Amino acid sequence: MHEDIKLTERYERNGWPSLARPDLKPPAGWSLEALATANQLHHHSLSPDGERIAFVWSRDDLSNLYSAATTGGWPSQLTFDRAPVTAWTDGAPRWSPDGNWLAYTTGGHVWVLSAAGGLPRKISDFTASAWSPVWMGDSNRLIVTVERDGREQMLLTDRAGSWPRLLVAKAGADVWDAQPSPDDRFVAYVRRPFDDLNRLDIRLVEVESGQVRALTGTSKERDWSPRWSPDGSALAFLSERSGWNELWLVRPDGTGMGQLTQAGQDVGDPVWSPDGSRIACTVNKGGALHLALVDVASGEIRVLRQAAGVHSRPHWSPDGRWLTVEYESATQPAEIFRVDAASGAATQISYTKSPTFPPPLLVEPEAVGYPSFDGLAIPAFLYRPAQPNGAAVVYVHGGPSSQYLLEWDGLAQYFVAKGYHWLALNYRGSTGYGRAFEEANHREWGNGDRQDCLHGARFLATLPGIDPARIGIYGPSYGGYMTACCLANDPETLFACGIDKYGDANTLSSWAQCNRDLRLYSEIFLSHPAANRDVYTKSSPIHQVGNVQKPVLILHGLSDDVVPPEGSEEWVEALRTAGKSYEYKSYAGEGHGFLHRQTTLDLYSRIERFLDWYLLPAAVESHH
């Protein structure tokens, strides 16, 4: 929070609070207590010999590292006091090339741990914070990323935390994603110039001399994720030049650049096979991420595992005969699988799933779509309850440059079990549907994307089992901002209530108070406010607070530096002054993404009370 604005945890309301409904009980087989305790596995990596995996397991209010055999079995705990971290800001533990060490980030610093066990050692005491450790081939030197002089830089140090050396000396840009060449002579990286934030370049730096070579670089074009072939003769990278995120190749001298895949869909997570003949990757088909193999000689894509779920972070075995991959779906939390590279047959090798929610209680969402105000087709996922209660929720994901995928969504499943319809939409600005769709809300946040949400309510109103007067909207981060936008610009009263989870309502003040990364992120979409003040003003629903007609629940962590809590304070003050009905709960010690079980349980309870209070009729029958 801002140093001049001291905020303390509090609950405030204007209007009657949404009390618990005594006539309702949790759906059979479900409880919010169990949901708030659910474990989460993420960010696994495979040891160089292929015998073990290391991964993050978020449970018991911690995000510790664990290790397990690739043949299965109960994991060994590697760390014991790693603070909870949101999955989208965390990183994978990195094995040294000799397999003897693991490097990881926690508490804003880089640590090294013997793979055989023992206490970890912090190696980044030379700076205020560091992250993203990457091993050099000698298993001693490491590259870490730091922020210094207003930009992200890469430093070369070692396992002992020796005084570092700057890898790229030139200013005027952020640099990240260090990728050492197989011979350790070069490091490939991504460069973002400050004078063109919509541009990402691939560059090489020679480790000894510091000389830099540009491999790609075009105004307003993004190239990222450089990955060396095993023999060092080529780099694969992702680029959106074709209108989709496709795989491209380039030689280390900058020649021979060309598009490898022609998927016409977003490709991600590229990793070369040990013999250099194939690249494993994911292919995004309407919110499902399939596991695929690309033939490097021809560019032909073979889908290895196709399922209504999300594959992520593939790793090749040393002999190239199998891969490890994380997989989750709408009915299955994430687990790690071993996949045969020939047949696609998968064997589960991690077992963290809670037994609390058996498959008969879970619903597979249905891919749907509807036209928005201008005819643009908006893709969405619809969860249909077995016994509708007449109420529905439009769920709006964060970002905006993100996507609602076919991932595990326990809260959606809970409300569907209660009888709610749940529509998770991918408004214009979402990824996964091509570059034109992704950039459709640039320079106009809160306009077309808001209309997409309102038309989501119109779409729900046409479905059987839904009362058009009992539709709510809920979203986190940018989804919370969309909630504020919709409630402040909803002349037909399509939404009966809204839930704003760490969103904001004033893009200008949010830009001024968020962290550096998010400030630049906002400028990618809206440019700098000094040059585009009117765009920031038009995109801020706080200026239309007088139009709000329905109650809103606002939830925010006081340690949030992505969407600052001052944004919710400002929104609440405007609602109070205008005499609007709201509830506001802030949480000390929580950032952008609530991490502690007690906070999550309180959050879920408030969401349930709020939706039940405003969307369910008095005579509804509970299903249990």
Side-chain angles (χ1 to χ4, degrees), residues 19 63 77 109 285 294 300 434 454 471-472 549 554 585 603:
L19 303 174
S63 294
Q77 190 167 348
H109 279 279
K285 188 171 183 179
V294 179
E300 180 183 350
L454 292 171
I471 300 173
Q549 304 175 67
I554 301 162
K585 179 67 176 73
L603 170 92

Side-chain angles (χ1 to χ4, degrees), residues 47-48 94-103 115 135-140 159:
S47 63
R94 302 288 190 97
W95 295 89
S96 61
D98 63 11
N100 292 329
W101 305 89
L102 284 161
W135 291 96
M136 299 292 284
D138 58 12
S139 296
N140 178 46
R159 283 201 319 263

Side-chain angles (χ1 to χ4, degrees), residues 319-571:
D319 59 9
R321 296 175 61 184
W322 50 271
L323 305 98
T324 57
V325 66
E326 295 164 37
Y327 176 76
E328 64 183 294
S329 70
T331 59
Q332 174 184 325
E335 297 285 3
I336 303 170
F337 291 79
R338 176 169 165 160
V339 180
D340 184 87
S343 68
T347 303
Q348 186 172 330
I349 58 176
S350 71
Y351 293 90
T352 62
K353 181 178 178 181
S354 168
T356 309
F357 315 118
L361 300 180
L362 305 176
V363 171
E364 292 278 2
E366 170 189 347
V368 297
Y370 59 88
S372 189
F373 73 104
D374 56 357
L376 182 66
I378 305 302
F381 291 104
L382 177 64
Y383 293 77
R384 295 181 188 264
Q387 296 176 289
N389 60 19
V393 172
V394 170
Y395 177 81
V396 191
H397 68 74
S401 186
S402 183
Q403 183 184 11
Y404 188 93
L405 298 169
L406 287 171
E407 298 171 304
W408 169 249
D409 188 342
L411 192 62
Q413 293 284 359
Y414 179 86
F415 276 98
V416 172
K418 284 173 68 77
Y420 285 78
H421 281 76
W422 194 273
L423 182 71
L425 59 88
N426 283 311
Y427 50 86
R428 70 190 66 205
S430 301
T431 54
Y433 303 96
R435 182 174 179 176
F437 191 88
E438 181 181 347
E439 296 182 353
N441 69 343
H442 281 210
R443 302 295 184 271
E444 61 157 30
W445 279 3
N447 184 18
D449 44 16
R450 169 183 56 86
Q451 294 271 21
D452 300 341
C453 298
L454 292 171
H455 280 262
R458 291 189 173 96
F459 167 73
L460 284 172
T462 67
L463 301 181
I466 297 177
D467 181 348
R470 294 194 278 122
I471 300 173
I473 181 171
Y474 160 48
S477 195
Y478 195 87
Y481 162 70
M482 279 287 96
T483 295
C485 287
C486 286
L487 293 181
N489 293 276
D490 185 12
E492 298 175 49
T493 322
L494 297 170
F495 290 117
C497 65
I499 301 175
D500 174 353
K501 182 182 176 186
Y502 44 75
D504 72 281
N506 186 339
T507 57
L508 184 61
S509 63
S510 183
W511 170 87
Q513 297 174 99
C514 65
N515 66 32
R516 172 186 174 276
D517 287 345
L518 267 293
R519 192 165 64 250
L520 295 178
Y521 182 79
S522 297
E523 292 175 25
I524 288 173
F525 299 92
L526 303 178
S527 79
H528 195 285
N532 244 351
R533 183 69 172 263
D534 61 327
V535 171
Y536 280 80
T537 300
K538 290 177 182 177
S539 67
S540 299
I542 198 167
H543 301 300
Q544 290 85 43
V545 67
N547 297 333
V548 174
Q549 304 175 67
K550 294 297 180 178
V552 56
L553 171 63
I554 301 162
L555 307 154
H556 216 126
L558 296 183
S559 296
D560 193 339
D561 66 347
V562 175
V563 177
E566 292 86 350
S568 284
E569 294 276 330
E570 187 177 2
W571 181 226

Side-chain angles (χ1 to χ4, degrees), residues 245-360:
N245 300 344
E246 300 268 17
L247 271 172
W248 290 57
L249 294 177
V250 66
R251 298 190 187 99
D253 62 3
T255 64
M257 188 174 80
Q259 187 173 337
L260 176 62
T261 59
Q262 304 285 340
Q265 296 165 328
D266 279 355
V267 174
D269 278 349
V271 55
W272 290 80
S273 64
D275 65 2
S277 66
R278 295 167 293 175
I279 297 176
C281 63
T282 60
V283 178
N284 187 332
K285 188 171 183 179
L289 300 189
H290 301 322
L291 179 63
L293 302 181
V294 179
D295 182 83
V296 175
S298 66
E300 180 183 350
I301 299 174
R302 177 169 74 93
V303 175
L304 189 60
R305 286 199 82 224
Q306 180 172 318
V310 171
H311 296 85
S312 61
R313 302 182 184 91
H315 295 273
W316 284 96
S317 66
D319 59 9
R321 296 175 61 184
W322 50 271
L323 305 98
T324 57
V325 66
E326 295 164 37
Y327 176 76
E328 64 183 294
S329 70
T331 59
Q332 174 184 325
E335 297 285 3
I336 303 170
F337 291 79
R338 176 169 165 160
V339 180
D340 184 87
S343 68
T347 303
Q348 186 172 330
I349 58 176
S350 71
Y351 293 90
T352 62
K353 181 178 178 181
S354 168
T356 309
F357 315 118

